[in-house]
Each structure stands twice: as C-alpha cells, then as structure tokens.
DNA sequence: CAGAGAATAATTTGATCATATTCTGGGCGC
DNA sequence: GCGCCCAGAATATGATCAAATTATTCTCTG
C-alpha cells in the first residue's frame, strides 16, 4: 500500500506534536518521517485549505534540513495532497465544486469495488478488526471527538483497502482521501460529529454474510452520504472553507 | 493536468538524447526538467521493467546535481512510475498478473468516463486535433515506428483527457499509463506495430455525432484490446519482460 | 589440500546538511 | 501607476556521513 516500501506508518490516535521525534521511528529516513507527519496533517485537516506551506518554515518547525522537507513536499504534491502554485509556492488545495464532483465520482467507483474484493477475501479476524474500529468510531462520535472520528473513519476504510489486496486501486483510493481531507475537516467541524455518515454496520453484516454486492452498496451509500455533505457545505459557503 | 503547475511539457516526437539540454527549457527548474525526461523514459519504455535506477548514475548522466534528481525520483515513485525497493534502491516496477488486472479494471472505468465528458465538451477544433493525431498514428503503424506509435497513442488519449476537463480523473489516468508504459513497450516490441489496437476511428465518429455513449464504448474496447494483449503476453512469458 | 561458508574489507550509492545562487513579490520613490 | 530595489524564499551544488552491496580473505571441515 505504501508506495515507498517501509513498514506501515503507525497511526497516531491522538493529536501529535510536530516536534516530537519518535525514538522508534528514528530508523526511518528523515524525508519519510517528514512525509508521514505532513501527510497526517493534511489528511486530518490540521492544515486548512488554502493555507500556504513553506519549505524553510517546515524545515525549522520540524528541525530538519530542507532537502528531506523538499522531498516530502514533492511526494505530497504528486499525490495531490498539496498544490504547486506555479511560482514556487506550495499550499493546501482549495476544492472547487467540480473537483468535489470528480472525487465523489471516483470514490463511488473505487470504494465499492475494493469492498467487493475485500468481502471475498476477508478472514474472520479481518471482520473482527473492522468491527473493533467501528466500535471505536461510535465512541468518538458520541464523545464528539472530531479528530478521533476522522482518523478512525480513515483507518476503517484503509483497512478495507488492505483486505481487498489490490495495491494499485488502494493507492488510488488513498490519493482521493488526501484530496478531500482538509475540506472534510472543515465541514465536519462545522456540523459537529452528530449525524455523521456511518453505514459501516450494514456493510459489516453484509461482509459477514459474504454478500459482496450488498456490502459494496452499503459502502457506496456511506461514501455518497459523506461526500455529498462536503459538496453541499462547500456550495453553501461560496468557494470553500 | 500537470500537478506541478508549469506549462505543459512539450512532447518529443522523436527519440530524445538525454544529454541534450533544451535551451527553451532552461527556464524550468532542473528538477522539473529531470522529471519530464525520466517520465518519458518510463512512459515509452526506454527503461526496461525491473531495471535499477541510481541517483548518482542519473545525476552524472544528466549533468545535474543529485538534489533535483532525487526530487524527480520521489515524484515518479509517488506516481507509481518507479518503485522503491525497501532498501533505498529504486527500479522500474515489474508488473504481476494481478497488477495488470487492476490496471485493466481501472482504465476500463476511467477512460470511458473521461471520453463521455470529452464528447460533451469537445469543440470542432478539438476533434480536428484528435483526428490529426490519429492520422499520424496510422502513419507510425504502417511505417512500423514503435516509438512514434507509443508516443502518439499516449498523446491521443492524453488529449482526450484534457478535453474532458476533469483534472483529478485525468491525473489518475495519467498515473495508470506510467504503470504499464514499460511493459507495453516490451509487449509491442515483440509483436510489431501491426494489429495494434486502434478503435480511434469509431470513437471519433461517435464524438462527431455527439454520441457520448458510443464514444465511451469504443474507447473501452480500445483499452481492453490493448491491455488484454499486455496481460496475455505477460502471462505467456512467465513473470514479465 | 580443496572448497563452502562466514566474517571482514572495500566500494558504491543513498541521505543529509550548510551554503551559494537565483528568482519572486512587495515596498518605496518617482 | 510604473519601475527599481530589497528582503525572503526556493533552487541547486558539493561535501560529508551512513548504509548496503559486492569483493575478498580467512577459517574450518571433509
């Protein structure tokens, strides 16, 4: 899944401090560490849409040289998580209504497809794992913990992708998450964690019954519901944010 | 389409010399130039699947420092054009049968969809442009010019993506091309340029008649036909290459 | 004594940084 | 408002360090 080889990034379940250098992570190259930190920052909306990002700023903030930072940025830009603004300037992309439509379209295809595959391949252990994630998700929702909701929701879908065992499609799907991450945070922040979409229960039941079509349908509804909220909220507030 | 801002890369219609530094391109940053050169090298199969790529080697070969090369590599790796082999080594990916299946699946969805949109948006000028490209393609095929075929075929589809005006989906589609480029070259090199797929005529007619569905069907067949040949040729020769 | 294997030395290549250079954008004066 | 100048940020280089692969040697066994 990780196109850059190394072991899976450990998910930070709580807000993380940028200056915290994980001792266990020290074995990884600096550019990889920077990449993951920045990636999470984008994915969970810690960087607002439109916000500018400077190499030297990050370099100082993270206590690293500029070469690793530069590499991490190139990677994120190539993945669509950040945007190169022609004149050597980098920022978090603003999503247009058209962009959202494209993202909805793409996820509407790729997520159900991966779910289909996942249903065929999932072991009972996999299902338990998904259920556990979903339970934690419920807790986060009732507790109103937005950050935890965002992370767990991503983790849930990501786990699904891994089970599907289709690295290229999973990489595509991951790229989509990076693109709407910042806006998702903004939208959810405005609506609170109540009535957030969660068709996961229905999906898990279908997976358990090995009804791949039903599981795919459920995830499709989950995706549509979530993404349409973003679209709607975005259209309402003019451009975005 | 280009996620990194700058103007569209000029397509090299003939084989290009790596050491040639285009004077007109000098305005572009070195890492961008390197990226485009490497990208074309991958896209048109000048780098064989499995072949190793070293930073310092490219650095000397292209007469640039290692930082720009490094950045270009990170970008290509993020796009799936190159592969990071865990132990800090980079190579051109080998495609497994499963990978091919994923690529076929993805293109089967994204190419028709972009064609649908392109048909709705294409001006008469656009159609002329596509027709011109397709004519050149015919010339390349009858002449047996493999390299020209590969470049023109890519250009044709890419132009289609641009007309569709869906940057995110187009970026996805571009990424897919990068993944099967090297293998495509190997397969075509083995079969010659005869009986290569070209459903472009039918597609252009449909586009001209504004029959989006028919155009999408035609492109779908074009994609399937081409990709299945890769799959077949790959399965026959064991792993790949 | 020959050869397989492990340990080690040597070389190649990647990772990082400090620094020099170039370019962009904004402010100031005209 | 237009053009010049300057601060700051990005780009690019080469040196340095670290890691890994490859080559070499040494040892132990049959």
């Amino acid at each position: 899944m990780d196109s850059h080889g190394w072991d899976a990034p450990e998910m930070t379940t709580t807000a993380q401090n940028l200056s915290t250098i994980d001792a266990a992570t020290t074995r990884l190259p600096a550019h990889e560490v920077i990449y993951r930190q920045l990636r999470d920052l984008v994915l969970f909306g810690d960087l607002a849409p439109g916000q500018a990002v400077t190499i030297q700023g990050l370099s100082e903030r993270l206590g690293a040289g500029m070469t690793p930072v530069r590499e991490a940025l190139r990677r994120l830009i190539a993945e669509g998580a950040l945007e190169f603004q022609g004149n050597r300037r980098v920022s978090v992309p603003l999503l247009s209504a058209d962009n959202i439509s494209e993202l909805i379209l793409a996820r509407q295809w790729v997520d159900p497809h991966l779910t289909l595959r996942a249903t065929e391949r999932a072991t009972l252990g996999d299902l338990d794992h998904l259920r556990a994630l979903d339970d934690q998700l419920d807790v986060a929702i009732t507790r109103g913990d937005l950050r935890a909701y965002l992370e767990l929701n991503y983790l849930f879908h990501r786990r699904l992708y891994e089970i599907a065992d289709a690295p290229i499609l999973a990489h595509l799907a991951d790229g989509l998450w990076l693109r709407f991450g910042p806006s998702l945070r903004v939208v959810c922040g405005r609506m609170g964690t109540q009535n957030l979409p969660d068709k996961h229960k229905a999906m898990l039941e279908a997976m358990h019954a090995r009804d791949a079509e039903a599981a795919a349908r459920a995830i499709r509804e989950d995706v549509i519901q979530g993404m349409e909220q973003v679209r709607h909220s975005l259209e309402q507030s003019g451009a975005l944010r």
Side-chain angles (χ1 to χ4, degrees), chain A:
Chain A
M1 170 139 323
D2 180 10
S3 59
H4 269 68
W6 289 283
D7 291 352
E10 318 96 49
M11 185 56 49
T12 55
T13 308
T14 60
Q16 74 212 338
N17 187 346
L18 265 183
S19 52
T20 302
I21 295 158
D22 188 5
T25 319
T26 305
R27 273 303 136 107
L28 294 176
H31 65 84
E32 180 70 20
V33 176
I34 307 279
Y35 167 77
R36 294 184 187 182
Q37 290 179 333
L38 266 174
R39 181 192 158 94
D40 283 359
L41 249 38
V42 172
L43 204 42
F44 303 128
D46 290 329
L47 268 46
Q51 183 172 339
V53 172
T54 71
I55 293 178
Q56 294 188 337
L58 290 174
S59 186
E60 291 172 21
R61 188 171 167 193
L62 308 185
M66 28 203 327
T67 312
V69 172
R70 180 175 270 280
E71 289 184 55
L73 285 183
R74 292 282 168 241
R75 235 176 118 179
L76 266 333
I77 293 170
E79 289 173 342
L82 294 175
E83 197 176 32
F84 193 93
Q85 306 216 301
N87 358 340
R88 334 167 125 193
R89 218 139 283 196
V90 177
S91 64
V92 182
L94 299 177
L95 287 189
S96 69
D98 285 346
N99 288 335
I100 293 269
S101 300
E102 288 183 62
L103 289 173
I104 295 178
L105 220 53
R107 285 203 69 199
Q108 230 172 48
W109 176 77
V110 75
D111 270 274
H113 190 86
L114 284 168
T115 303
L116 227 59
R117 292 184 58 122
T119 304
E120 294 166 358
R121 278 154 232 259
T123 65
L124 290 176
D126 290 331
L127 291 177
D128 284 343
H129 191 177
L130 286 175
R131 225 185 311 270
L133 284 171
D134 194 47
D135 289 343
Q136 287 184 262
L137 225 165
D138 288 338
V139 173
I141 291 179
T142 56
R143 220 200 289 161
D145 186 344
L146 176 54
R147 172 63 179 238
Y149 166 79
L150 290 170
E151 289 190 10
L152 286 166
N153 190 37
Y154 170 69
L155 268 189
F156 184 90
H157 285 259
R158 166 115 175 198
R159 186 81 200 95
L160 204 57
Y161 303 158
E162 283 168 7
I163 295 170
D165 190 31
I168 295 179
L169 296 181
H171 188 253
L172 287 188
D174 253 358
L176 300 176
W177 278 84
L178 279 172
R179 288 186 186 265
F180 62 76
S183 297
L184 187 61
R185 163 63 167 266
V186 172
V187 169
C188 292
R190 227 178 306 184
M191 302 194 322
T193 56
Q194 303 314 320
N195 55 37
L196 281 171
D198 185 354
K199 302 271 183 187
H200 298 174
K201 304 277 178 304
M203 198 214 67
L204 284 172
E205 274 182 42
M207 280 185 82
H208 196 81
R210 301 293 174 185
D211 186 346
E213 293 289 344
R217 266 197 307 277
I219 212 68
R220 185 162 175 274
E221 284 175 32
D222 184 68
V223 165
I224 292 180
Q225 198 172 319
M227 298 296 288
E228 286 294 351
Q229 262 178 2
V230 176
R231 188 220 294 272
H232 182 256
S233 185
L234 185 148
E235 278 173 354
Q236 213 162 23
S237 55
L240 96 167
R241 202 246 130 70

